[in-house]
Amino acid sequence: MNLPTLIDSLISDTVQRSLPLFGPELALCATIVLLLLARVIPVVDQIPPLVIALVGAVVALVAAIPREGMAGLAAIERQELFTGMLVYDALTVYLRLFLTAFAVLFVILSRLTGIADRQDGQDYYALVLGATIGMCIMASANHLLSLFLGVEMASVPSYVLAGIVKGRRRSSEAALKYAVYGAGAAGIMLYGVSLIAGLLGSAHIPTMAQRLVEFDVAAKLADRDYTVMVLALGGLMVGVGLAFKLSAVPFHFWCPDVFEGASAEIGGFLSVASKAAALALLVRVGIGFTEAPQHGAEPPRQPVAAAAASFATPPAIRMVAATNGDERLAQADGQAGRSSDQTIERAGSAAEGSPLSPVRTFFVSVVAAVAIITCTFGNLAAYGQKNIKRLLAYSTIAHAGYMMMPVAAAIALAGDNPAAASDAIAALLLYATIYLFMNLGAFAIVAFLRNAMQSEEIKDYAGLVSRAPMIAVAMTVILFSLVGLPPLAGFWPKLRLLQALYEAGGSLLMFALVVAAINTAISLVYYARVAKTMCIDPQPDTSRPVQLGFLPTTFVFAMALPVAILGVLPELVAPWTRDAAAGLFGV
Amino acid sequence: MNLSDPIAYLSLMVFLPALGALVLAFFPRGREDAIKFTALGFTIFTFMLTLGMLMEDAGGVNFEAGAAEMQNLFSAAWIPSFGIQYLMGLDGISFPLVVLTAFLSVLAMVASWPITKHVKAYCILFLLLETGMIGVFMALDFFLFYVFWEVMLLPMYFLIGVWGGPRKEYAAIKFFLYTLVGSVLMLIAILMLYFNSDLTLLNSQQLADAGIFAVAAEGGNPQTVEQAYQAWLASDDDTARRFQEIQAETNPARRRQLHTFNILALQQMGQLENSPFSQNVWLGRSIQWWAFLLLLIGFIIKVPSVPLHTWLPDAHVEAPTPISMILAGVLLKMGGYGIIRICYPICPAAAYELAYVVCGIGVVSMVWGAFAALAQNDFKRMVAYSSVSHMGYVVLGLGVWSLGMWTAGPGGSATYNADYWKMGVTGAMYQMIAHGISSAGMFFCVGVLYDRVHHRNLNEFGGIFGRMPVYAGMAVAIFFAGLGLPGLCGFIGEVFVVLSVWKYSQLLAVVSAAVVILTAGYILWAIQRVYLGAEYRGPHGEALTPMTVREMAVAIPLVVFAIVFGVYPPSLLNYMQPSIDRQVETLAAWTERYDADREALQNTLNNDQEQVAAK
C-alpha cells in the first residue's frame, strides 16, 4: 500500500464514514468557533452569546438523535470511526444524546442564574461546550489516545469553569486545587497508558485485547513472569485517572473543596455530565480489555454475526469451539447467522477458561472494592456537612460509588450471561439519566437560593417551606429521590443495580449488594436532615422573604417533575437504556 | 370507566385519596375548613367504596363472604421491562384490613379537626398516606407491595415531624430509619426470591390461581382452565411467549427461568415439592431460610416486636392524636399482614423450622410490652407499650405451627390436624382487627384529654368521671376492650391465640395467659389513676369540658364496633375464616408432605447406617 492510496483511503474513511456520524461534536465545534469569533466580528457581537450557545447546543442535540428515532437505537451497529480512534454504537448514541441534552439544560440554567453575563458569556459557553465535546469523546473512546484526549478536553475547561467567578478567593482556590490534582492524575494516567501500550504494542483497545489474549496472562502468572505486574500497574495507573474523574475514593479529595468553592451550577455540571462520561469511559475500558474482540481487530466492515463467524478466533476460544465442533456443525447448516450467534455465546460461556479471565477478575475486584469504599465513605462523610454544596459533593461521591457497582457486575457477568451483563449496563444508563434530573435540579435550587438569600449554609434554609413552598417541596422530592425511595425515580436505578449485583453473584459482589442496600439507609439521615431543615424547622425571625422569578421556578419544576413521573412510569426511558446497552456484549 | 370491572373499582379505592390530595393541592390558602371538609369527603367516599363491595346490588364489584380464594383479581402491565405488574385482589385476609383502614381514616380525619398548622399540607399528606395503606393490603405483586409500603414512609415522616410533639424530629427520623432498614432487608429478600423463581414450574391450574391468565367463568362460553391456558399460550402476551420458549428448550443446561414478582405464584412455588427456594445458598441455609429471616425482620420492625420496637413509643407519643390512631390502628397491622401473606406461604420450610423463634418473639413482646406499660407515667406512652404487648399476640398466633399434631385417620393413616393452627391464625387476624379498633380508640381517648389539659402525666389526673361522665364511660369501655374483657373485641383474639398455643407449647401458653394479668394490671391502674378518684389534681382543671359532638362522632363508632365484635364474632369471621382455613390447610398439606419426606429421608439414612454398621 503506497502513500497516495493510504491517504485516499484515509480521506474516504474520514469524509464518508466518520464525519457524518460525528455530527453533534461538529455542531458543538462550530458553535465554539462562532462564540470565539463573535468578539472580533462586530455584527456577530450583537447577538447575545446565550443565543449562539443555545442554538448550537440544540442543533447538537437534534444531530444526536438517531436518524430512525429512538426506536432505531437497538438497530445501530458497531462501527469504528477515524480509523479506530472512536467507536460508534448504540451506547455512543445514547450518551451523546444524554450529554447534549444536558448541555442544553445547562445553558438555560446558566442564563437563569445569571452566572454567564454579557461580558464573559462567550468564554463561559465556549468552555461548557468544549468540555461537552471532550465528554462525548470520552463516551466513544476506542483508543488510549482518544481516551486521554477526551479526559483532558473535558478536564481543562472544567478547571477554568471552577474558577469562573472572578474576584472570589474560594473560587480561585478551588480552580487551582482542581487543576493541580487534575494535572497529577493526568500525568499518572499518561504513564499508565504508555506502559500498557508499550507492552502490548498498540493503543487501539480491541487490538490490545487481542494482544492480551496472545499474551496469555494466566500462563505468565503461572510462570511467575513479572511483566504481568507491569501490566497490572499500568492498568491501575489508568484507573487513577478515571478515579479522579469519578471522584472515587481515594482520589476524591478535590471534590468537596471544588464543589464548595465553585459556583453551584458548575457543581451540577461536574457531578452529572462529567461523571456520566467518566463512567462511560470506565465501561469502554472494562469491556475493551476483558472481552476478547468478537469483531475482529481491523475495521469490522461486516455485520457482527458474520464477522464473528469468519474472523480468526483467538486460540483459547478456538479450542473451546472445537470441543463443541459436532454440535456446531450440526447447527451450521441451519441458519448461518443464528449458529454464529450461538458460537459467540458458547465462546462466552467458556469464559472461565478464557485467557482474559484473570484480567476480568482483576478489573471486577478493583472496581467493586473501590465502589464499596467510595459509596460508604461518601455517605458517612456527608453526615457532618454544614454547607449544602459540600453535602451534595459527598452525595455525588457516594452516587459515583453506586454507579460503579453495575460496571463491576456487568464485567463479571459478561462471560456467561451476556444478556444480564447488558442489563447491568442498562441499569447504569438509567441511573445516569435519572441522576441528571435529580442532581441538576438540586444544584439549580442551590444556585437560585444563593441568588435569593446569599447563603449556601443548610441552617439558613430553615423554614423555607413557608417562604418558598414550591422550591422546598421540589427539593424535598429530589432529596428523597436521591435516597432511592419509591415511588420516586431514584429508586428504579438502585433496584436495577441491586438486581445486577445479585445476578452476578460471588462473595465480593454480594457484599457490594449488602453495602449498597445498607448505604441507602445511611444516606437517609443526611438527606432527611436537609428536608427537615426546610420543612420542619421554624423560620428564624431575621429571615427575609425569598423571591424567585417565574422562570427559575419553572426550571426547578422541569427537573423535579420528571423525578416524580419517572418514579411511577420508569418505562418512559428504561427501554431506551436497554436498547443502548444491548449490543455491548455481542448478544 | 366501568366500575363493575375490578381494575377500575379497586384502583379507584386505592387512588381516590391520592386524587383527593391532588385536588387539595389546587385549593387556595386560608380556606382551611373547606380543605378539611374536602379531605373528609374523600375519606368517607373511599370508605363507602369499600362498603359498596359488600352490597350485592350496589353496582360495582362484590366481595363474596364465604369464598376462600382471591376475589376480584386483576393484573395489568406496569413496568414490563422489569417484569413488574399492576396486580391486585382481595381475599378474606386482606379485605377486613382494607375496610378497617378506610374506616379508621375517616375517624382520624374527624379527629384531625383541632389541627391548625399548615392544614393544606396536612390533609394532602394524610390522603397520600391512606393511598399507601390501602395499596399495601391490596397489592399482590411483590414489587407493587414494596412500592406502596414505601409510599407511606414519606407522608408519615412529615406528619410526625411537622405536627408532632416536642421531640417530633427525633421520633420522626427514628421511625423512618427503622422502617427503611426493614424495607431494605425486605428488598434483598425480594430479589433473592425473584431470581430463584420460575413460572414454568407451575401447572396450568396453579398459573390460573396466581392470576397469570384469567379464566372467563361467566358470560356466553365459560372456559375450563385448560382452555384458558391454551388461549393464553396462543396469545401474543410477552410472558406467554417467553413461557413457551423456555418450555420448548429441551437442553436442561441452557434452560432459563421465567422470573416473577407475583406473590400468588411465589406462594405456589414455595409450596412445591422441590421448591426452587430450597437450594442452599449460604452457611448451609436455603434461600427461603434467608429470605424468611430478612422478611421477618422487616415485618416485625413494623409490628413491632421486641427487640425492634423502640421506635414505636417515640413515634406514637410524639405524633398528633389522629396520626397515632392511624399508626396503631393500621400501620402496625401491616407487619402482621406481611407475615401471614408473604413469609409463611412463600417460605413454608423456613417458617416451619423457625416457628419457635417467631412464637418466642411474640411472647417476649407480650411480656416486655406489658411490663414496660406498667412502668409508664405518660398516658400515651403507656398506651403505646400496650400496643407492643397486644401485637405480640398477633405474632404468636401466626407463629403457631401445631407440630406433631397427628391424629390417626381412618384406615390407620395419620393425618395432620390443623385445627389448632387455624385457631391460632384466626385469633391473630381477629386480634389485628380488634386491636385496630381498641388502640385507635385508646389513643383518641388520650388525645381528648390532652387537647383539654395539655399534659399526659398519669399521676396528675383523677376524677374525670365526675367532670366528663360520657367521655369517661366510653373511654373505660374502650380500655376494657383493650384489656380483653369478655364481651368486648379484644377477648376473642386473645383467647383463640392462647388456646391454640397450648397444643404447641405449654410453656408459651402459660406465659401468654399470664400476660393477661399484667394487662389487666396496667389498664385498671391507669383507669383508676385517670378516671376514678375524688377530684382532678393536675393543671388546667377548668378546661375539662364535656365531649363535643365531633369527638362523640369518633368515639361512638369505635365503642359500637368494640362491642359488636366482642358479642358477635361471626360478623367478622364470616369474611375471614374461609381464606384463613384455605391457607392453613394448604400449608398443613404441605407440612404433611414435608414431614413424610423428611421421615423417609431419615429412614434411608438410618438404613444406610445400619448397612454400613452391618458390613
Side-chain angles (χ1 to χ4, degrees):
Chain A
M1 198 186 279
N2 55 11
L3 193 61
T5 45
L6 195 66
I7 292 174
D8 273 354
S9 71
L10 202 61
I11 289 175
S12 80
D13 176 75
T14 306
V15 175
Q16 286 169 10
R17 271 170 63 76
S18 305
L19 285 182
L21 298 175
F22 202 57
E25 287 91 339
L26 287 180
L28 291 175
C29 285
T31 316
I32 293 172
V33 172
L34 206 61
L35 279 168
L36 295 179
L37 280 180
R39 291 228 168 128
V40 188
I41 307 168
V43 186
V44 188
D45 201 22
Q46 296 301 312
I47 311 170
L50 167 80
V51 174
I52 304 178
L54 195 57
V55 168
V58 169
V59 169
L61 175 62
V62 172
I65 297 173
R67 242 160 287 164
E68 302 83 10
M70 291 309 279
L73 204 57
I76 292 172
E77 273 165 18
R78 185 190 147 92
Q79 298 186 45
E80 292 194 339
L81 305 187
F82 300 111
T83 65
M85 293 301 281
L86 298 180
V87 60
Y88 176 87
D89 57 9
L91 182 66
T92 306
V93 173
Y94 185 83
L95 283 166
R96 276 200 319 208
L97 202 60
F98 171 85
L99 290 167
T100 47
F102 179 80
V104 172
L105 290 172
F106 190 70
V107 167
I108 297 172
L109 174 66
S110 307
R111 173 69 195 82
L112 292 179
T113 61
I115 186 174
D117 52 29
R118 193 90 172 80
Q119 264 68 47
D120 55 11
Q122 285 97 339
D123 308 346
Y124 177 85
Y125 292 123
L127 288 166
V128 168
L129 298 181
T132 307
I133 298 179
M135 290 165 192
C136 289
I137 292 178
M138 279 165 83
S140 52
N142 194 38
H143 193 282
L144 288 183
L145 214 59
S146 54
L147 175 151
F148 184 73
L149 207 69
V151 169
E152 284 307 287
M153 266 189 80
S155 297
V156 174
S158 307
Y159 305 151
V160 185
L161 282 173
I164 196 91
V165 185
K166 280 173 276 206
R168 265 189 68 209
R169 259 186 91 113
R170 293 303 291 262
S171 182
S172 315
E173 189 189 320
L176 185 64
K177 198 167 203 166
Y178 194 18
V180 170
Y181 263 98
I188 294 174
M189 181 154 100
L190 198 55
Y191 190 31
V193 166
S194 67
L195 278 182
I196 305 182
L199 265 179
L200 297 178
S202 170
H204 177 238
I205 294 176
T207 315
M208 291 171 80
Q210 188 96 23
R211 297 272 161 79
L212 208 53
V213 172
E214 290 154 17
F215 191 74
D216 204 354
V217 179
K220 286 273 199 312
L221 273 175
D223 297 348
R224 298 182 172 275
D225 181 339
Y226 290 107
T227 41
V228 175
M229 288 295 132
V230 180
L231 207 58
L233 190 68
L236 285 177
M237 283 172 149
V238 174
V240 170
L242 291 176
F244 164 77
K245 289 299 304 172
L246 277 169
S247 66
V249 177
F251 305 99
H252 65 282
F253 291 105
W254 60 272
C255 184
D257 293 341
V258 169
F259 275 48
E260 190 184 359
S263 58
E265 300 87 332
I266 306 301
F269 186 72
L270 294 179
S271 69
V272 178
S274 182
K275 212 143 277 184
L279 282 159
L281 194 53
L282 186 67
V283 173
R284 293 278 183 215
V285 171
I287 296 177
F289 282 103
T290 59
E291 283 279 278
Q294 312 279 5
H295 314 289
E298 249 318 276
R301 308 280 146 150
Q302 309 94 327
V304 179
S310 65
F311 86 121
T313 326
I317 295 179
R318 195 181 303 146
M319 202 177 70
V320 175
T323 56
N324 293 322
D326 294 352
E327 261 181 80
R328 208 179 138 200
L329 272 177
Q331 284 166 349
D333 41 19
Q335 311 109 331
R338 205 184 146 88
S339 82
S340 60
D341 270 352
Q342 285 166 349
T343 318
I344 295 172
E345 209 174 298
R346 193 160 304 123
S349 68
E352 286 313 308
S354 104
L356 288 181
S357 73
V359 184
R360 185 171 287 161
T361 318
F362 178 69
F363 182 88
V364 171
S365 337
V366 171
V367 172
V370 171
I372 289 170
I373 297 169
T374 304
C375 173
T376 314
F377 173 84
N379 277 328
L380 290 179
Y383 265 51
Q385 303 309 322
K386 298 188 173 64
N387 181 297
I388 182 77
K389 284 195 300 193
R390 249 185 125 73
L391 182 132
L392 286 174
Y394 281 110
S395 133
T396 51
I397 293 177
H399 280 277
Y402 289 126
M403 285 192 252
M404 285 164 76
M405 288 175 185
V407 181
I411 302 300
L413 280 165
D416 35 43
N417 195 350
S422 322
D423 274 353
I425 299 295
L428 169 67
L429 294 179
L430 184 65
Y431 207 129
T433 309
I434 285 171
Y435 193 62
L436 182 152
F437 293 108
M438 300 193 293
N439 239 32
L440 190 62
F443 277 104
I445 290 172
V446 172
F448 291 135
L449 289 178
R450 173 205 64 206
N451 288 351
M453 55 203 273
Q454 312 302 328
S455 169
E456 286 166 343
E457 297 300 309
I458 296 171
K459 65 173 165 30
D460 291 334
Y461 290 170
L464 193 72
V465 73
S466 44
R467 284 183 284 166
M470 301 280 224
I471 298 296
V473 169
M475 187 68 168
T476 306
V477 166
I478 287 171
L479 286 171
F480 283 107
S481 174
L482 283 167
V483 177
L485 211 64
L488 298 169
F491 169 68
W492 298 110
K494 237 173 218 174
L495 166 73
R496 301 297 281 162
L497 176 165
L498 295 179
Q499 281 186 331
L501 288 172
Y502 187 89
E503 222 163 346
S507 50
L508 185 63
L509 293 181
M510 284 312 275
F511 181 62
L513 184 149
V514 174
V515 168
I518 291 175
N519 263 298
T520 303
I522 295 178
S523 69
L524 169 73
V525 177
Y526 65 86
Y527 288 123
R529 184 163 58 92
V530 179
K532 184 213 86 173
T533 311
M534 286 180 153
C535 299
I536 299 181
D537 282 359
Q539 189 176 345
D541 303 331
T542 52
S543 61
R544 292 173 301 166
V546 175
Q547 284 299 327
L548 257 68
F550 172 72
L551 285 176
T553 313
T554 313
F555 187 85
V556 167
F557 261 78
M559 293 295 110
L561 216 55
V563 172
I565 291 172
L566 289 176
V568 184
L569 298 169
E571 201 68 352
L572 295 177
V573 290
W576 296 347
T577 64
R578 206 177 36 181
D579 289 348
L584 281 175
F585 296 92
V587 187
Chain B
M1 195 168 64
N2 179 8
L3 274 186
S4 60
D5 195 4
I7 189 165
Y9 198 91
L10 265 58
S11 303
L12 189 66
M13 264 163 79
V14 175
F15 292 106
L16 189 67
L19 195 71
L22 195 68
V23 170
L24 286 184
F26 293 101
F27 266 57
R29 277 189 193 199
R31 308 284 308 278
E32 301 195 336
D33 270 351
I35 290 173
K36 280 178 188 165
F37 274 113
T38 313
L40 180 63
F42 275 101
T43 57
I44 290 176
F45 195 48
T46 311
F47 181 49
M48 278 161 54
L49 281 178
T50 62
L51 290 185
M53 294 188 73
L54 294 174
M55 284 173 228
E56 297 264 329
D57 47 359
V61 299
N62 291 320
F63 182 83
E64 243 175 87
E69 52 293 323
M70 245 343 133
Q71 303 186 33
N72 301 316
L73 188 67
F74 70 84
S75 75
W78 177 27
I79 313 175
S81 55
F82 304 171
I84 299 173
Q85 277 185 313
Y86 181 62
L87 175 71
M88 286 188 183
L90 285 168
D91 69 353
I93 297 172
S94 51
F95 183 67
L97 289 166
V98 171
V99 178
L100 176 77
T101 307
F103 172 63
L104 285 182
S105 295
V106 175
L107 296 189
M109 197 59 226
V110 176
S112 300
W113 239 255
I115 301 268
T116 49
K117 185 175 155 189
H118 303 308
V119 172
K120 185 168 139 185
Y122 176 88
C123 292
I124 290 176
L125 289 170
F126 185 92
L127 290 173
L128 287 178
L129 179 70
E130 192 185 352
T131 285
M133 294 187 300
I134 296 181
V136 164
F137 292 128
M138 302 223 286
L140 289 175
D141 183 282
F142 213 155
F143 230 88
L144 192 62
F145 174 85
Y146 183 79
V147 169
F148 279 124
W149 182 277
E150 300 275 286
V151 164
M152 298 173 322
L153 282 186
L154 214 50
M156 197 40 119
Y157 170 73
F158 284 109
L159 285 170
I160 299 175
V162 178
W163 290 272
R167 288 166 73 232
K168 57 191 181 183
E169 288 155 20
Y170 171 76
I173 193 74
K174 195 169 178 182
F175 160 80
F176 205 156
L177 252 186
Y178 267 74
T179 318
L180 190 66
V181 168
S183 52
V184 159
L185 296 180
M186 189 182 359
L187 185 61
I188 296 179
I190 293 176
L191 291 182
M192 287 171 73
L193 293 173
Y194 174 74
F195 278 112
N196 289 290
S197 64
D198 188 357
L199 273 183
T200 54
L201 296 174
L202 301 180
N203 62 32
S204 55
Q205 179 63 49
Q206 288 167 323
L207 289 170
D209 285 347
I212 302 291
F213 58 84
V215 183
E218 291 155 21
N221 47 343
Q223 285 175 305
T224 64
V225 171
E226 199 53 37
Q227 282 167 342
Y229 176 62
Q230 293 305 337
W232 174 66
L233 286 184
S235 69
D236 55 352
D237 181 49
D238 194 45
T239 318
R241 193 178 48 71
R242 285 176 43 212
F243 187 87
Q244 276 174 312
E245 263 173 32
I246 292 168
Q247 280 206 323
E249 179 63 57
T250 47
N251 181 356
R254 290 173 53 91
R255 190 178 168 129
R256 297 209 183 274
Q257 294 171 319
L258 185 55
H259 301 315
T260 182
F261 283 118
N262 184 321
I263 290 179
L264 300 171
L266 289 172
Q267 291 178 349
Q268 305 270 19
M269 281 170 224
Q271 295 168 17
L272 283 178
E273 193 100 3
N274 44 356
S275 162
F277 308 141
S278 296
Q279 325 150 20
N280 279 357
V281 273
W282 196 41
L283 297 182
R285 301 294 187 178
S286 63
I287 288 161
Q288 56 170 306
W289 195 87
W290 288 107
F292 181 84
L293 198 68
L294 293 172
L295 290 169
L296 186 70
I297 295 173
F299 291 135
I300 65 168
I301 286 178
K302 201 83 178 180
V303 168
S305 294
V306 176
L308 299 170
H309 67 292
T310 55
W311 65 268
L312 179 129
D314 288 311
H316 280 205
V317 170
E318 298 307 325
T321 303
I323 301 308
S324 296
M325 290 168 67
I326 292 285
L327 262 175
V330 182
L331 259 68
L332 306 191
K333 309 302 171 290
M334 289 175 182
Y337 174 76
I339 294 175
I340 189 171
R341 168 76 76 219
I342 291 169
C343 281
Y344 272 76
I346 298 184
C347 312
Y352 190 37
E353 198 178 324
L354 293 173
Y356 222 100
V357 175
V358 178
C359 289
I361 289 172
V363 171
V364 170
S365 303
M366 284 157 61
V367 177
W368 188 290
F371 272 116
L374 266 175
Q376 301 306 321
N377 280 325
D378 183 322
F379 200 2
K380 211 171 179 185
R381 227 178 160 76
M382 185 218 85
V383 176
Y385 275 110
S386 84
S387 284
V388 175
S389 178
H390 283 139
M391 289 305 286
Y393 283 101
V394 174
V395 176
L396 177 63
L398 294 178
V400 169
W401 199 302
S402 315
L403 287 164
M405 283 308 302
W406 297 86
T407 50
S413 65
T415 52
Y416 192 90
N417 184 350
D419 286 350
Y420 292 100
W421 189 4
K422 278 181 201 163
M423 192 190 252
V425 177
T426 311
M429 277 299 299
Y430 208 93
Q431 173 76 354
M432 287 217 265
I433 305 292
H435 181 255
I437 304 279
S438 66
S439 70
M442 288 197 271
F443 277 112
F444 180 71
C445 291
V446 177
V448 167
L449 276 186
Y450 184 76
D451 282 345
R452 287 172 171 68
V453 297
H454 302 287
H455 80 91
R456 291 189 303 254
N457 189 343
L458 277 171
N459 295 321
E460 294 187 358
F461 284 110
I464 303 290
F465 243 118
R467 307 288 290 270
M468 303 168 68
V470 179
Y471 159 73
M474 285 198 267
V476 168
I478 286 171
F479 274 90
F480 276 136
L483 187 157
L485 197 72
L488 293 170
C489 62
F491 176 69
I492 314 284
E494 288 179 19
V495 153
F496 272 28
V497 169
V498 173
L499 283 182
S500 70
V501 175
W502 180 259
K503 284 291 183 185
Y504 176 62
S505 157
Q506 298 185 348
L507 173 71
L508 293 181
V510 169
V511 176
S512 57
V515 170
V516 175
I517 300 167
L518 290 175
T519 312
Y522 65 76
I523 287 193
L524 290 176
W525 194 24
I527 290 177
Q528 184 199 335
R529 283 188 285 177
V530 176
Y531 298 105
L532 307 180
E535 60 179 3
Y536 177 71
R537 276 168 302 190
H540 306 295
E542 72 288 349
L544 286 170
T545 49
M547 241 182 165
T548 62
V549 175
R550 179 186 62 78
E551 286 164 341
M552 298 253 214
V554 180
I556 289 173
L558 289 171
V559 174
V560 168
F561 278 108
I563 295 169
V564 168
F565 288 154
V567 177
Y568 189 63
S571 57
L572 202 50
L573 289 179
N574 280 351
Y575 294 98
M576 300 194 310
Q577 197 72 52
S579 298
I580 293 172
D581 286 356
R582 179 169 182 255
Q583 170 153 340
V584 173
E585 271 157 19
T586 37
L587 280 178
W590 174 89
T591 317
E592 231 166 30
R593 286 201 308 270
Y594 184 75
D595 275 348
D597 284 354
R598 274 215 308 207
E599 211 170 325
L601 188 70
Q602 195 59 45
N603 286 341
T604 30
L605 281 179
N606 289 345
N607 287 343
D608 286 354
Q609 275 171 354
E610 278 163 23
Q611 280 170 4
V612 169
K615 277 178 191 169

